[in-house]
Amino acid sequence: MTTKGGHVVFLFPSVSHALKAEKILKEAGVTHKLIPVPRHISSDCGVCLRVEAPLRDEVVARLRGRVTWEGEAPLEGS
Amino acid sequence: MEKDTEGRVIYFDNAATTWPKPKETIRAMVAYAEEVGGSPGRSGHRRAVMAGRIIFEAREALAEIFGCDDPFRIVFAKNATEAINTAILGLLEPGDHVVVSSLEHNSVMRPLRHLEKRGLRLTVVPPGPDGVVEPDRIEDALGADTRLICLTHASNVTGQIQPAASVGEIARRRGVLFLLDAAQTAGAVPIDVREARVDLMAFSGHKSLFGPQGTGGLYIGEGVEERLRPLIYGGTGSRSEFEAQPDFLPDKYESGTPNTIGIAGLGAGVRFVLSEGIRRIREREEELTGRFLAGLAAIPGVRVHGPQDASSRTAVVSFTLEGVSPSEAAMTLEEEFGILCRPGLHCAPSAHRTIGTFPAGTVRFGFGYFNTDEEIDRGLEALRKIRRHNT
Ligand SMILES: Cc1ncc(COP(=O)(O)O)c(C=O)c1O
C-alpha cells in the first residue's frame, strides 16, 4: 500500500519498548503497524513501528516521556 | 492404624509450590508450545513478535498486581532465589552493613553469609515474642554504613506477615535500600510497592502467582537500576552492536533466551489472580487456615509455631506433635492418609532457631486457594488419629 508522503519508522532499544509504544498508539487510536526492521536500517531488536509520515508529530507527542526510542527513519513508498 | 487415603491425595505443600495450577496457566503454556514457539526480541518475524508480546503482557500483569506504574521495572528470573541473589550480590560491597531479620529463608541468608566472608557486616534482628519483627528494632540496628534492609514479607515457617510498609518508611527516611522477599506473599496477600516503599522486591512465580516452576522475578524501584549490577551478562537481542551490557530496563537484567513458555504460564496465572481478586483469594485462604487452626487447638499434644490468628498470617501452619518427630509425622501423613506436606527446616534454619524448633523442625501444612474445607477436616482427622496412636 502506497501512501502519499510515505512512512516513518520508529526504532526502539528493545522489543519491550516497541511493544509498549504499540500499546500507547493503539490506546490513542493512532494508525500504526509493528513491522520487521527494514534491511537498510540498523536496529537489533527486530521490530519497529511504521506510521504514515503525516502522523509523525502526533506519534512523537504520544510517546514522549512514556517510552524511549532510538531513532526515526523515513521509509519511502512502502 | 487404619488407612484413609481413599485413593486421593491431599496437597498441603503449596508454600513450596502451588498445585494444582489454574487451567489458564496450563493452556497458555500449551498454546505457546503449539502455536508460538519463537524467541522474543530476537527477530521481527511473527513468532518472535508473538513471543515478545507474551512476555510483555506477563510483565504488565505483574506490574498491575504489585501496583507498579512501569512494567519495565519487573524483571524476570528463574525463581525468587535468583532475584534475591541479583539484589544482594548486585548491590553490596565489602564493608557495607546489612540489617536482616532472623526469620529469613536461606535464599537471603546464604548470599549474605557468603558476602560476610568477604567483609560484609550483618546485623540479624529477631522478632518479638509475638513473631513480629519490630520496625523500631530494625531502625535501632541501622548505622552510618548500612546499605540494605532485607525482610521476608511472611515467613515460610511461621506464616507471620511482617510490617513491610513501616520498615519501608524507615528505610526511606534513613536513606537505606529495602529488599522485600515476597516469595510467600506475592499473589496471596495484597502488596503495593509504592505503599510499602520497597526498593527491591523478589517474588516466586510458581507459588501464589500460579505460574510454573522456573519463574520468578524482581521489582526494581526507581533509580535503583543505576546502582544494581546484573547477576548475568549476555545477549539480550538489543544493542547487539555493542559488547557492553545494555544499561536500560528490563534488558540489563535479562540476558539469554528467557523461559518464554514458563512466563506464558506465569502471565496467565497472574491474570487468574487478578480476575479472582487477590482479596477474595486472601479471604478464602484465611478461612481455610482459620478452620485448621481452630481444629488443631482442640487436639491435645499439638503445638502451633506461629500466630494463632489467621488474619495476621499466610496460609502456612507449622506445628509439632508431642512424641512424634516431624519427619515421622510427615511420612505417616503420606502413607496412611495421602496427605502431602513438608517437614523439617524448610530452607530456613535461622527461622527455626528463632522459634526454638531447630534442628528437628516442624511439620508444615501450606494451604492454597484450591484446597477445600473437607480436605482441612481430613487433615485434622489424620492428626487426631496420629496423636491417639502415639499416646
Ligand atoms: C520466604 C521464602 N523466600 C524465598 C524462597 C525461594 O523461592 P524460590 O524457590 O522461588 O527460589 C522461598 C521458597 O522456597 C520462601 O519461602
Side-chain angles (χ1 to χ4, degrees):
Chain A
M1 196 178 59
T2 308
T3 311
K4 196 159 167 275
H7 289 90
V8 175
V9 294
F10 284 78
L11 304 164
F12 296 91
S14 79
V15 71
S16 311
H17 293 75
L19 290 167
K20 182 166 181 191
E22 182 194 36
K23 187 179 176 207
I24 293 167
L25 296 187
K26 201 179 284 173
E27 282 170 1
V30 179
T31 311
H32 64 279
K33 191 163 191 228
L34 198 64
I35 61 164
V37 176
R39 216 175 329 153
H40 67 281
I41 299 171
S42 150
S43 174
D44 193 45
C45 77
V47 287
C48 59
L49 270 180
R50 187 188 71 182
V51 298
E52 290 174 10
L55 292 175
R56 184 258 166 204
D57 290 350
E58 183 183 358
V59 170
V60 168
R62 299 271 181 201
L63 301 185
R64 186 174 287 143
R66 298 184 65 190
V67 62
T68 47
W69 66 95
E70 290 194 310
E72 297 166 41
L75 200 61
E76 294 305 330
S78 59
Chain B
M1 216 178 325
E2 120 203 43
K3 299 238 177 197
D4 186 19
T5 55
E6 289 172 23
R8 204 157 58 83
V9 150
I10 298 180
Y11 187 76
F12 283 165
D13 200 13
N14 289 282
T17 200
T18 49
W19 187 91
K21 303 299 180 189
K23 287 187 299 293
E24 290 85 341
T25 298
I26 315 290
R27 276 199 214 115
M29 295 175 75
V30 171
Y32 169 80
E34 290 186 342
E35 294 154 32
V36 182
S39 181
R42 267 54 176 184
S43 180
H45 63 70
R46 72 192 68 183
R47 286 170 189 268
V49 174
M50 283 160 85
R53 207 164 260 139
I54 285 171
I55 300 223
F56 182 77
E57 285 168 4
R59 219 187 287 282
E60 284 196 317
L62 284 159
E64 183 181 343
I65 209 167
F66 296 141
C68 157
D69 300 327
D70 178 3
F72 291 4
R73 301 210 155 272
I74 308 287
V75 302
F76 290 106
K78 73 172 196 266
N79 46 39
T81 301
E82 189 176 84
I84 290 165
N85 273 266
T86 300
I88 288 176
L89 300 177
L91 271 181
L92 300 172
E93 306 284 352
D96 284 343
H97 176 238
V98 173
V99 175
V100 63
S101 93
S102 73
L103 293 170
E104 304 302 307
H105 189 270
N106 267 346
S107 53
V108 171
M109 291 318 295
R110 284 184 172 165
L112 288 175
R113 293 294 183 200
H114 164 72
L115 293 181
E116 197 179 24
K117 283 191 265 162
R118 301 178 175 193
L120 187 84
R121 288 188 313 106
L122 213 55
T123 301
V124 180
V125 176
D130 57 356
V132 178
V133 179
E134 272 304 314
D136 287 352
R137 298 205 52 189
I138 299 251
E139 182 156 23
D140 291 345
L142 300 179
D145 48 3
T146 309
R147 201 69 206 292
L148 182 69
I149 299 169
C150 305
L151 180 68
T152 180
H153 192 203
S155 160
N156 65 317
V157 175
T158 66
Q160 175 73 54
I161 298 170
Q162 300 297 345
S166 308
V167 174
E169 174 60 39
I170 290 168
R172 187 64 51 100
R173 179 157 42 77
R174 300 286 299 263
V176 176
L177 292 171
F178 178 33
L179 165 63
L180 187 67
D181 172 5
Q184 288 295 327
T185 50
V189 177
I191 300 176
D192 185 306
V193 289
R194 287 161 308 192
E195 230 168 73
R197 295 176 172 275
V198 300
D199 295 296
L200 292 153
M201 185 179 82
F203 58 91
S204 295
H206 58 97
K207 298 186 200 267
S208 297
L209 293 170
F210 292 119
Q213 289 172 31
T215 62
L218 184 64
Y219 159 78
I220 298 175
E222 222 158 291
V224 179
E225 71 277 14
E226 284 152 33
R227 293 182 268 178
L228 183 69
R229 295 178 295 266
L231 187 64
I232 308 268
Y233 296 77
T236 54
S238 52
R239 300 265 165 95
S240 293
E241 62 274 36
F242 303 112
E243 290 189 350
Q245 187 74 3
D247 59 0
F248 55 84
L249 289 165
D251 293 33
K252 182 175 179 183
Y253 305 99
E254 290 186 353
S255 292
T257 306
N259 175 12
T260 310
I261 190 166
I263 294 170
L266 173 58
V270 174
R271 286 188 292 273
F272 171 82
V273 174
L274 286 167
S275 77
E276 293 292 294
I278 195 159
R279 283 179 201 281
R280 180 158 143 209
I281 291 176
R282 171 79 187 130
E283 263 169 42
R284 177 64 189 141
E285 292 193 355
E286 268 185 56
E287 252 171 48
L288 290 166
T289 309
R291 187 180 185 93
F292 182 69
L293 287 169
L296 265 196
I299 306 176
V302 178
R303 176 147 177 238
V304 175
H305 302 271
Q308 299 292 334
D309 161 25
S311 70
S312 66
R313 52 146 64 248
T314 57
V316 166
V317 182
S318 261
F319 56 89
T320 43
L321 300 166
E322 212 175 280
V324 195
S325 75
S327 54
E328 253 180 287
M331 212 189 307
T332 309
L333 282 163
E334 171 159 21
E335 285 176 359
E336 309 287 327
F337 303 96
I339 292 172
L340 313 183
C341 65
R342 181 170 177 195
L345 293 175
H346 313 102
C347 298
S350 175
H352 278 283
R353 279 204 177 88
T354 302
I355 63 170
T357 49
F358 188 88
T362 55
V363 180
R364 183 183 76 180
F365 280 7
F367 306 120
Y369 188 53
F370 294 114
N371 282 128
T372 62
D373 289 355
E374 189 231 331
E375 288 177 326
I376 300 288
D377 294 346
R378 281 177 54 194
L380 289 165
E381 185 52 28
L383 295 174
R384 247 175 247 126
K385 286 183 179 161
I386 293 174
R387 273 296 301 142
R388 229 178 281 139
H389 189 78
N390 286 280
T391 43

